[in-house]
Structure formats: C-alpha cells, structure tokens
Amino acid sequence: MEDPRSPTPQERDKVVEFLDTQLRPNVSWSIAEEYPLAFSKDKIKNSKIITENSLPIAHAHMETLLIKTPLGLFKVAAIGSVVTHPQFRNKGLSQKILNQCLKEAKDQLCDFAILWTDLFDFYRKLDFELAGHEYSLKIPLSWKNKPLPENFRFLNSIKVKASEILKIYNTHRTGTLRTAKDIENFLKIPNTSLFTAWDKKTNQLLAYAVEGKGADLTNYIHEWGGKVSAFIPLLQFAQSHYSQSLTLIAPRHSENLIRQMSHNGADLHKGYLGMIRILHPQNIFFKMQRYARQLGYTDVICTCIEDKFVLGYKNDLVGISSLRSLTQILFGPLKLEEAVRIKPQTKEVLEKILPLPMWVWGWDSI
C-alpha cells in the first residue's frame, strides 16, 4: 500500500470506475458526468488516491476555486468525493488522503478549504468547523396556482446559450469565476432542469433557476440569478412542474429576495455554508484590513501574534486561540461579541466586515 498521490492520466478510467462503484452504484450515469470539470482527463491530477495492487482503494478530490467577493478574490480548496473501499476502512486512509489535500492546498496558497459532509466529528479532528451561512427557503405549493405575469415568457429547457446565463451570473457580487464553457458543461449534468424567464418584447433573458444535479440536490434550486421582479414569478413557474415543494438555497446577503419570499409564505431555515478549515489566516486578515480601509476604517486590527489570532479596533484588541472558533467568527455564525467582550464601537465597526460575505454555488460543490 502506497502513500497518497495523484493519479496518472492513464489511471483516470480506473479512478472513475472506483468512484462509480462506491458512490454512484444505483444510477445510470457516471460520476464523471455529474462532475464534468472535476473528473475530466486534464483535472484528474487534482484527485488523490491510495492504491493496492494497482487499483484505487481510497480517494479524495480537491478543486481550486477562485471566488470573487466584496473583499476581493479568495482562493478556495473545495474537497469532496472522499471514500475508502469497505475492505480497507478504519485504517486511517481517508485521513491520510485529506492531510495530503490540505498540504497541497496550503502549498498552493489557498485561503481556506471547504467540504460538505455530515461526519462532523471526524472532520473536526482535522480542524474543520461548521461555518458560514446558507439560507433555505421552502416554496409553498400554493405558488404554482398563482397567475404568472403576461409580460414574461417562461421556459423549462436546458437549450439556452451559456453566454446568456453567464451575463446574469456575473451580476452576483459573490461567486466562483466561470466561463461560458463551464456553464455549457454544467448544463449537461444528468438530472438537471433549467427554468428561464424572458422579456416578451425584447427576448432578453431576465432570470434563471437550476434544479437538480445528478444524484444530489433533487428538488433544490441551487443555481439562480436575475432581478427579483422576474425571479419570483420564475419560481412560481418552476414549482408548477413539481408535486413536492422546491427549496431555494440562497446566501445570507440576498436580503431582498429572502425578505420577499418569506413575506409571501416561503419557510425559511438557516444553516451552514459547509465545513471550513482556514489555511492562511494572514491572507484573509490582509483582505479584511484592505476592505476596512476602503470603508474608511484604518485602525481595524487582524493579525497573528505568537499562538493567538488578534482582532479588534484601535486599542480594543482580543485574542482568539482556537482556529475553529476563528473560523466561525470570520465566516459566521459566531459573533465576536459572543466569544469575547468588546467595546460597542469595535462591535459596530467589525459588523461592517464580518461575517465575510462568502458563498459557493451548487455547481461548485464536489
């Protein structure tokens, strides 16, 4: 049994077959179709495997995302498809592979790593913590009976130019940098439904909503965009195609949309963005201080001193010793004043920066 390593291009088919057997045994498509960017021949090197007799027995994939935010670009290591063959479990192989992924992510100067799991205790041993914000809004079935505006044309079809979707996607203030080719590939994922709203007079795309992603996110709208005035009617149109309520996944900063949907009967649930492990706190602190200066606050302090992370404003400084606590303070949901005592002015200033407005759209999950 060897140490974790990247597969060679020639091993790509063996890796995909292993993942299909372990993670997608009861579907008619391959995991390579479900994650078209991650498991392409030129990206398979981003996977890590352990082999026995030349066959994969453990695997994890790490995809580097560049995410734009109001604070600037974040380099993020998204980790997923973590699995070990049943015959080789409880031997620490997944932990070995994950440590290798984290080492490479750190070497590549990723700001943090993120993954999605329900094995919270296992990943906390690797300094991951539940953090960030994800709002889920369950759409009432009654929405399907509401009349639709006559000035819009609605479609249920994936035959839409990727460049048109990209134009609206790029209006989001937070999200992974993408190309039209990326979106073309995403639209080919099995079990994907695309709903769109168009202006009848100009034939301009006004809003889009994506439901489903292979074996995941069934009945969830995980990719979407457009003005609220067109998007909410589009949700009504989408809901009319389902017997069960759809759920919209939204970032915390989509305040207007969340407010209007809640006002119209959508059931709101607050959750976490994922499990996050900070890799380069100083890089994140630099972005925070630069953003604070842009807002006119030159005395915001974010730094590492010995074994503590120091945050504060002017002379009101506090030390955080736990990396996992820092993760929840920077990304939410933990507020700094809930963890330590700070002055009202410090609270007021830091609330303009924290929690960091971070978001990962559904197509980017691994």
Side-chain angles (χ1 to χ4, degrees):
M1 190 182 301
E2 60 186 4
D3 290 332
R5 62 174 177 84
S6 296
T8 65
Q10 293 74 24
E11 291 177 302
R12 184 257 182 189
D13 291 347
K14 287 183 180 178
V15 173
V16 171
E17 182 181 357
F18 170 71
L19 295 176
D20 286 344
T21 301
Q22 300 301 321
L23 298 177
R24 296 293 182 269
N26 300 313
V27 298
S28 59
W29 60 83
S30 169
I31 199 168
E33 297 174 74
E34 198 167 321
Y35 300 101
L37 302 188
F39 298 115
S40 60
K41 290 186 178 180
D42 61 328
K43 289 287 190 75
I44 195 67
K45 61 186 178 184
N46 294 334
S47 285
K48 293 289 168 283
I49 58 170
I50 295 175
T51 62
E52 177 87 349
N53 297 324
S54 301
L55 293 175
I57 59 171
H59 173 275
H61 187 85
M62 184 186 79
E63 195 72 19
T64 302
L65 308 175
L66 287 177
I67 299 180
K68 68 172 184 177
T69 76
L71 282 75
L73 282 177
F74 281 75
K75 192 173 184 181
V76 179
I79 297 174
S81 299
V82 182
V83 64
T84 299
H85 191 285
Q87 293 181 6
F88 296 91
R89 288 176 185 165
N90 301 314
K91 299 179 184 294
L93 300 188
S94 287
Q95 193 166 34
K96 269 189 176 182
I97 280 190
L98 287 163
N99 280 326
Q100 183 64 27
C101 288
L102 292 172
K103 179 184 180 301
E104 293 194 12
K106 197 166 186 178
D107 290 345
Q108 294 173 23
L109 299 181
C110 290
D111 296 304
F112 65 91
I114 187 169
L115 50 80
W116 297 270
T117 181
D118 56 4
L119 302 175
F120 307 134
D121 291 339
F122 172 77
Y123 284 98
R124 284 186 175 119
K125 295 175 184 176
L126 298 170
D127 273 333
F128 283 87
E129 186 52 83
L130 286 165
H133 294 273
E134 178 185 280
Y135 284 17
S136 299
L137 293 127
K138 191 172 184 179
I139 300 171
L141 286 173
S142 59
W143 279 26
K144 67 167 65 178
N145 300 320
K146 291 185 177 182
L148 295 171
E150 294 184 1
N151 55 323
F152 297 147
R153 178 168 57 91
F154 299 97
L155 293 178
N156 173 14
S157 172
I158 60 171
K159 294 181 179 179
V160 176
K161 286 186 178 179
S163 57
E164 293 297 310
I165 295 173
L166 183 63
K167 286 178 187 176
I168 296 180
Y169 174 79
N170 283 339
T171 64
H172 289 301
R173 66 172 186 163
T174 303
T176 303
L177 299 184
R178 290 177 178 166
T179 65
K181 186 64 178 177
D182 292 338
I183 293 176
E184 281 182 17
N185 286 321
F186 289 141
L187 288 174
K188 296 175 185 175
I189 295 173
N191 277 9
T192 292
S193 294
L194 173 65
F195 301 93
T196 50
W198 305 76
D199 185 300
K200 278 186 177 180
K201 289 184 178 179
T202 65
N203 204 33
Q204 178 185 0
L205 180 63
L206 301 176
Y208 68 90
V210 179
E211 181 274 335
K213 179 190 177 188
D216 298 325
L217 299 172
T218 299
N219 292 331
Y220 282 87
I221 293 175
H222 58 88
E223 291 271 347
W224 51 267
K227 293 183 178 179
V228 174
S229 58
F231 183 62
I232 288 184
L234 178 61
L235 292 179
Q236 295 173 220
F237 173 74
Q239 183 60 72
S240 70
H241 291 75
Y242 297 84
S243 59
Q244 295 183 343
S245 288
L246 295 175
T247 297
L248 177 82
I249 305 173
R252 178 177 180 266
H253 51 260
S254 295
E255 295 175 357
N256 184 30
L257 175 64
I258 293 168
R259 183 171 53 252
Q260 291 202 36
M261 288 186 66
S262 298
H263 179 73
N264 284 281
D267 185 24
L268 174 65
H269 172 75
K270 298 179 182 180
Y272 298 98
L273 178 59
M275 291 202 82
I276 294 175
R277 158 78 186 269
I278 292 176
L279 299 172
H280 285 284
Q282 286 286 29
N283 290 359
I284 299 176
F285 290 160
F286 172 79
K287 295 177 178 69
M288 290 170 59
Q289 288 182 302
R290 182 180 60 190
Y291 184 61
R293 288 194 296 271
Q294 292 171 1
L295 297 176
Y297 301 103
T298 58
D299 296 321
V300 169
I301 306 298
C302 316
T303 190
C304 301
I305 300 178
E306 295 180 352
D307 59 345
K308 289 188 181 294
F309 308 104
V310 178
L311 303 177
Y313 180 61
K314 294 185 176 179
N315 295 322
D316 184 22
L317 305 179
V318 295
I320 310 294
S321 57
S322 164
L323 181 65
R324 283 165 42 200
S325 294
L326 178 71
T327 302
Q328 288 201 321
I329 289 169
L330 296 190
F331 295 96
L334 184 62
K335 295 181 180 180
L336 184 59
E337 66 270 20
E338 294 173 345
V340 293
R341 183 176 295 178
I342 55 174
K343 294 178 181 178
Q345 186 183 27
T346 302
K347 174 180 179 293
E348 181 182 348
V349 171
L350 292 182
E351 279 182 345
K352 299 183 184 300
I353 305 167
L354 301 175
L356 300 177
M358 183 56 59
W359 185 246
V360 181
W361 293 94
W363 274 335
D364 296 316
S365 63
I366 301 296

